[in-house]
Amino acid sequence: MPELALLILAAVAVLMAKHMVADFYLQAPYQFLNKGTYGHPGGLIHAGIHVALTPLVYLVLAPTTLLLALAITVGEFLVHYHVDWLKEQINRRKG
């Protein structure tokens, strides 16, 4: 298997493991019960936990610059927070 494919698979595996830990082991009721309220600290803390674990991925797939690492981190926070908030909105409206 080409080296790039192995690197991508390794990064995805670490991201999946990180996501499992953040969503199932580190997410308290305070977080998942309040992710649907925009700006609530519970949702912000949850997204922050994901961001705090992101450097584990850098052990596999190192960003070329500190600025790129910061951009990935900020982007992950914003996307994760808003996706979780949107999922809660859909669940509340559609049941």
Side-chain angles (χ1 to χ4, degrees):
M1 188 176 276
E3 194 173 308
L4 180 60
L6 286 174
L7 186 61
I8 291 170
L9 286 173
V12 168
V14 173
L15 281 168
M16 298 279 290
K18 175 197 81 100
H19 207 96
M20 180 189 69
V21 169
D23 276 354
F24 296 106
Y25 298 110
L26 299 178
Q27 185 172 207
Y30 176 75
Q31 296 168 22
F32 68 75
L33 291 174
N34 295 301
K35 289 191 295 188
T37 304
Y38 197 83
H40 193 282
L44 297 171
I45 290 168
H46 176 67
I49 288 171
H50 277 275
V51 167
L53 296 175
T54 295
L56 295 173
V57 179
Y58 299 158
L59 296 173
V60 175
L61 186 64
T64 55
T65 67
L66 187 58
L67 185 60
L68 180 59
L70 181 63
I72 290 169
T73 302
V74 169
E76 179 182 5
F77 180 86
L78 291 172
V79 169
H80 193 91
Y81 178 80
H82 286 96
V83 166
D84 275 354
W85 176 81
L86 183 60
K87 285 190 312 188
E88 287 298 315
Q89 298 307 305
I90 291 169
N91 284 336
R92 288 179 184 177
R93 290 182 172 104
K94 301 287 182 183

